[in-house]
Amino acid sequence: MIGSIYAVGAAGTGKSTFSASLKEWMISQGFDAAVANLDPGAEYLPYDADFDIREFISLSEVMSEYSLGPNGAQIVAADLLLENYQTMLKPLEEFDDYYVIFDTPGQIELFAFRQAAPQLVDSFSGSRASIAFISDAVLASTPSGFVSQKLLYGSVISRFFKPSMNIMNKSDLITDAEMSAIKEWEEDSDKLLEAYMEEKQKIDKGYFSAIIRAFSEINATGKVIPVSSKDLLGLEEVYSNLSLSFSGGEDTDTSMKDD
Ligand SMILES: Nc1nc2c(ncn2[C@@H]2O[C@H](COP(=O)(O)OP(=O)(O)OP(=O)(O)O)[C@@H](O)[C@H]2O)c(=O)[nH]1
Ligand SMILES: [Mg+2]
């Protein structure tokens, strides 16, 4: 694999749509790209999967075999994948010269916060792995939503310790003014604290200003990349971040089909 991109994020933030769009964009640019679905519970996918974990794990079979309801079955299914990935992911070996985008399970805790997930990423993709944390622009457009998504991003990157991107998906759903406010909060932690204090009247200022100060320190890697997976916008910046993490900045990709 030239590189593995793991799309990780809370339910409904657009991981599957992002995976589909990034593949489409990469192919349009002449790169070889494939999408692997790692969500055994997915009922509908907005792409034709090049690899689909549902061929190995059936949620309904897990439910009847283990006498579980849908939530318990999701956990067992996630663990089945994490315990058996070496055999199950073998078909992906044929994508040696591809970028492979991994669409992870709907609920973030089923992948990012299970014990074995960092091990899967590490041993399967090693230094060719990048985490694409997918957040929702609508949520990020209020100061408290912005703060909570940054915290979630922080907890995901501290699980994987891989190059990562903080992707603000669905940016087509927010106004230019909301986008400018988000950019301002990123640049200026005082402005973020001010906006936060305005939104939440009775809070412990000391505690939140400490959290917000910590953001400025991780900003080097934590700046959001606005993306619209619906309109295929922002994907060029995603790609340049990827090539930066995979090749130290130079676009040394040899898989270009055109020119
Ligand atoms: N407007 C807009 N809608 C989007 C965008 N990306 C995804 N959506 C919509 O958001 C909804 C959820 O998208 P999915 O791609 O299924 O999200 P997901 O994170 O894979 O969802 P789960 O796997 O169920 O957690 C769908 O209705 C998508 O069409 C986007 O960039 N803009
Ligand atoms: Mg999905």
Side-chain angles (χ1 to χ4, degrees), residues 9-18 39 46 103-107 169-173 227-231:
T13 50
K15 299 173 291 293
S16 301
T17 313
F18 169 80
D39 185 356
D103 181 17
T104 70
Q107 295 91 328
N169 189 38
K170 307 191 188 180
S171 60
D172 56 287
L173 294 179
V227 162
S228 168
S229 300
K230 178 174 152 264
D231 299 336

Side-chain angles (χ1 to χ4, degrees), residues 135-161:
S135 66
D136 184 321
V138 177
L139 269 178
S141 64
T142 63
S144 60
F146 178 86
V147 168
S148 65
Q149 300 220 40
K150 278 267 189 180
L151 287 171
L152 190 55
Y153 173 68
S155 71
V156 168
I157 58 171
S158 36
R159 291 280 295 151
F160 290 99
F161 278 110

Side-chain angles (χ1 to χ4, degrees), residues 26-31 254-259:
M26 282 185 152
I27 289 174
S28 77
Q29 300 299 305
F31 300 109
T254 51
S255 73
M256 291 290 281
K257 282 186 277 191
D258 309 320
D259 53 74

Side-chain angles (χ1 to χ4, degrees), residues 236-257:
E236 192 161 357
E237 194 179 344
V238 170
Y239 175 73
S240 49
N241 270 273
L242 282 175
S243 58
L244 204 72
S245 61
F246 295 147
S247 65
E250 283 167 55
D251 194 348
T252 52
D253 196 328
T254 51
S255 73
M256 291 290 281
K257 282 186 277 191

Side-chain angles (χ1 to χ4, degrees), residues 18-258:
F18 169 80
S19 302
S21 300
L22 184 59
K23 175 183 170 181
E24 187 183 334
W25 182 87
M26 282 185 152
I27 289 174
S28 77
Q29 300 299 305
F31 300 109
D32 287 324
V35 178
N37 172 43
L38 294 190
D39 185 356
E43 286 185 12
Y44 160 79
L45 294 174
Y47 51 80
D48 288 328
D50 298 287
F51 169 87
D52 196 338
I53 196 64
R54 295 176 302 178
E55 285 173 21
F56 298 86
I57 301 171
S58 147
L59 209 59
S60 54
E61 278 174 25
V62 171
M63 282 171 73
S64 56
E65 192 176 326
Y66 294 82
S67 307
L68 289 168
N71 294 328
Q74 292 267 14
I75 295 171
V76 171
D79 285 346
L80 281 174
L81 159 67
L82 295 170
E83 281 158 21
N84 300 295
Y85 68 87
Q86 269 147 333
T87 357
M88 288 180 184
L89 299 187
K90 257 198 177 313
L92 281 168
E93 281 172 6
E94 72 174 278
F95 293 99
D96 206 27
D97 293 332
Y98 282 65
Y99 284 97
V100 179
I101 305 149
F102 291 87
D103 181 17
T104 70
Q107 295 91 328
I108 195 165
E109 67 273 22
L110 292 175
F111 188 75
F113 302 141
R114 300 304 288 172
Q115 192 67 19
Q119 198 187 325
L120 178 155
V121 171
D122 220 18
S123 84
F124 195 69
S125 304
S127 63
R128 312 303 283 170
S130 180
I131 306 294
F133 174 76
I134 313 293
S135 66
D136 184 321
V138 177
L139 269 178
S141 64
T142 63
S144 60
F146 178 86
V147 168
S148 65
Q149 300 220 40
K150 278 267 189 180
L151 287 171
L152 190 55
Y153 173 68
S155 71
V156 168
I157 58 171
S158 36
R159 291 280 295 151
F160 290 99
F161 278 110
K162 292 286 176 200
S164 49
M165 287 172 277
N166 188 359
I167 288 166
M168 194 177 68
N169 189 38
K170 307 191 188 180
S171 60
D172 56 287
L173 294 179
I174 62 169
T175 63
D176 290 348
E178 286 168 328
M179 181 65 84
S180 305
I182 290 170
K183 291 200 168 140
E184 191 174 56
W185 299 337
E186 291 229 299
E187 296 295 327
D188 188 340
S189 51
D190 289 338
K191 284 262 175 357
L192 174 59
L193 185 60
E194 210 176 282
Y196 196 90
M197 297 300 289
E198 240 171 69
E199 185 193 352
K200 307 273 175 208
Q201 298 296 322
K202 289 184 186 159
I203 56 164
D204 173 355
K205 189 173 176 183
Y207 175 74
F208 284 96
S209 60
I211 289 179
I212 288 168
R213 268 200 315 277
F215 288 164
S216 347
E217 290 181 21
I218 61 161
N219 255 356
T221 51
K223 275 217 161 38
V224 297
I225 304 175
V227 162
S228 168
S229 300
K230 178 174 152 264
D231 299 336
L232 269 73
L233 294 174
L235 298 171
E236 192 161 357
E237 194 179 344
V238 170
Y239 175 73
S240 49
N241 270 273
L242 282 175
S243 58
L244 204 72
S245 61
F246 295 147
S247 65
E250 283 167 55
D251 194 348
T252 52
D253 196 328
T254 51
S255 73
M256 291 290 281
K257 282 186 277 191
D258 309 320

